[in-house]
Amino acid sequence: MDKERNAIRIFMKNLGTTFPDPDFETDASTFLAGEEKLLFSTDEFSAEDNFRSHNAHALGWNVAAATISDILAAGGIPHFYGHSVTIQDDWDDHYLDLFSDGIAGCLAAAGAEFIGGDLGMSDTWRYTGIAIGKKLAGLSRRGAKTGDLIYMTGNVGAGNLEAALKLYSDIKSLKTLLNIVHVNFPLRIKEATLVRKYANCCIDSSDGVFRALLDLSRISCQGFMVSDIAYHHQGLLTCKLLGKPQEILFFGECGEYELVFTIPPGSEPGLLSEAHAQHLIFRKLGVITDEKKMILRNGKRITDLTGYSIFARDYRDVKEYIREVVQFIEDGST
């Protein structure tokens, strides 16, 4: 059971919401301002999302980049940005300066204007980002077709690496990594231009790559096969040190906020040619299939993901969730 999405449906039903679709087909909602189509998205983040707070500038950048990724995935560019911030009691002026500078740097890179917000204080931090952008393409999570190639704007596992370094910070083998590994989520403004041009559908990997693929597959009533995934290098090292399978970087729901999209096979040369000319890198994940099966292939190991139903928000203890996922990986591979 996916408790989070069930709760969203209840709110949507009672609030009489019409433009956010009940099937979660878009990353951001479309609305009209006169004759112009705009996009709206809001996201909340806190310590519960397993973002580390040791690097104030990186945390500020990450919460802003994660908010903006929804606008990019929906075929738009960000124009305006607001937030509601609950600052932690022990954050001093220096920390706040770095944190807010991280947000500002991200907005400058995105070309978005800050238009205001709200601020409070508590014993733990909480951040709600709000992004409004212009819709440039009718891009949604629907549209994957049999034979489409699945691509992604970066490597798999940055968010789950960040979570692992927080959750297992007491493990001696990770001590050397804690202060030298800084995860900055990407801001894929340039890549999004090509995604809008070539993609049949798109989603951001805010809940991890597997959840992104699961959504694309479910909405378009298709299956998929992914293989030989390009994992985050430091994520692979962390998995090795923790004695966990590398596939946890694929399944885990602390996402990397990359763009996951599909293209027709005939569009691949054009995409890669333009990407090369602009010094951009896209990673191929696999292919959309007509069989409603979900297959993960890693070398000779094959894992059938059809019927997978382990979702992080259904667990109170995140480490119990991780144990269940690891067990599935170990039991389900052939």
Side-chain angles (χ1 to χ4, degrees):
M1 178 182 180
D2 191 340
K3 293 180 180 179
E4 180 190 27
R5 294 199 168 182
N6 185 60
I8 293 171
R9 287 190 176 96
I10 292 172
F11 273 94
M12 289 166 60
K13 173 177 65 94
N14 289 318
L15 291 171
T17 308
T18 55
F19 53 84
D21 55 276
D23 292 322
F24 307 98
E25 291 188 12
T26 59
D27 282 61
S29 299
T30 301
F31 67 99
L32 290 175
E35 296 183 355
E36 188 170 33
K37 289 184 177 180
L38 300 180
L39 292 166
F40 168 85
S41 183
T42 182
D43 267 307
E44 183 180 67
F45 308 96
S46 69
E48 296 174 2
D49 293 291
N50 293 308
F51 289 12
R52 290 182 298 160
S53 58
H54 72 296
N55 185 314
H57 193 276
L59 181 62
W61 173 283
N62 285 345
V63 293
T67 302
I68 290 170
S69 69
D70 282 335
I71 299 295
L72 301 180
I77 54 173
H79 281 337
F80 302 107
Y81 189 91
H83 64 206
S84 177
V85 191
T86 299
I87 63 174
Q88 199 161 292
D89 290 337
D90 60 358
W91 287 5
D92 59 18
D93 288 352
H94 179 64
Y95 190 99
L96 289 175
D97 188 55
L98 291 172
F99 177 72
S100 57
D101 189 58
I103 297 170
C106 183
L107 299 188
E113 179 184 352
F114 182 72
I115 56 174
D118 185 42
L119 186 141
M121 297 185 68
S122 183
D123 55 346
T124 58
W125 71 271
R126 189 171 295 274
Y127 185 91
T128 301
I130 302 163
I132 297 174
K134 183 177 181 179
K135 187 171 185 176
L136 300 179
L139 202 55
S140 74
R141 300 173 181 178
R142 182 179 294 278
K145 298 177 175 61
T146 299
D148 272 7
L149 304 178
I150 306 168
Y151 268 88
M152 179 173 167
T153 53
N155 291 348
V156 174
N160 289 313
L161 164 63
E162 178 78 352
L165 293 175
K166 178 180 178 181
L167 291 169
Y168 298 100
S169 61
D170 58 333
I171 302 296
K172 289 184 179 180
S173 60
L174 294 187
K175 292 296 184 183
T176 56
L177 294 179
L178 295 180
N179 291 321
I180 63 174
V181 174
H182 303 296
V183 175
N184 280 73
F185 295 136
L187 186 63
R188 300 300 190 185
I189 299 293
K190 292 182 179 179
E191 290 87 346
T193 302
L194 296 183
V195 173
R196 290 194 299 271
K197 181 175 180 179
Y198 289 102
N200 281 336
C201 61
C202 183
I203 185 173
D204 85 335
S205 63
S206 56
D207 291 325
V209 175
F210 173 68
R211 285 296 298 265
L213 292 173
L214 184 63
D215 282 341
L216 295 183
S217 174
R218 176 183 57 82
I219 290 171
S220 295
C221 298
Q222 302 283 343
F224 63 79
M225 176 180 287
V226 294
S227 60
D228 301 321
I229 292 173
Y231 287 110
H232 192 289
H233 173 71
Q234 291 168 327
L236 289 175
L237 175 60
T238 300
C239 287
K240 184 176 182 180
L241 292 173
L242 291 174
K244 298 190 183 300
Q246 64 184 20
E247 290 89 349
I248 195 71
L249 297 171
F250 171 77
F251 283 103
E253 295 179 34
C254 292
E256 50 281 284
Y257 298 90
E258 298 282 1
L259 302 179
V260 179
F261 60 100
T262 76
I263 61 170
S267 296
E268 185 178 38
L271 171 69
L272 297 182
S273 176
E274 289 199 52
H276 178 75
Q278 298 180 45
H279 306 289
L280 304 176
I281 296 176
F282 292 91
R283 303 294 190 190
K284 186 189 293 188
L285 294 177
V287 63
I288 298 293
T289 62
D290 57 354
E291 273 192 292
K292 294 181 178 58
K293 286 187 177 182
M294 299 178 290
I295 303 296
L296 172 63
R297 186 189 296 270
N298 180 24
K300 294 182 178 180
R301 289 179 60 187
I302 298 174
T303 306
D304 187 346
L305 313 180
T306 311
Y308 180 93
S309 59
I310 305 171
F311 301 115
R313 289 179 176 85
D314 293 341
Y315 292 81
R316 290 184 178 274
D317 182 349
V318 67
K319 289 187 177 180
E320 180 186 353
Y321 157 74
I322 293 171
R323 286 192 293 269
E324 290 286 337
V325 175
V326 169
Q327 191 66 52
F328 174 86
I329 294 168
E330 292 175 347
D331 292 346
S333 299
T334 58

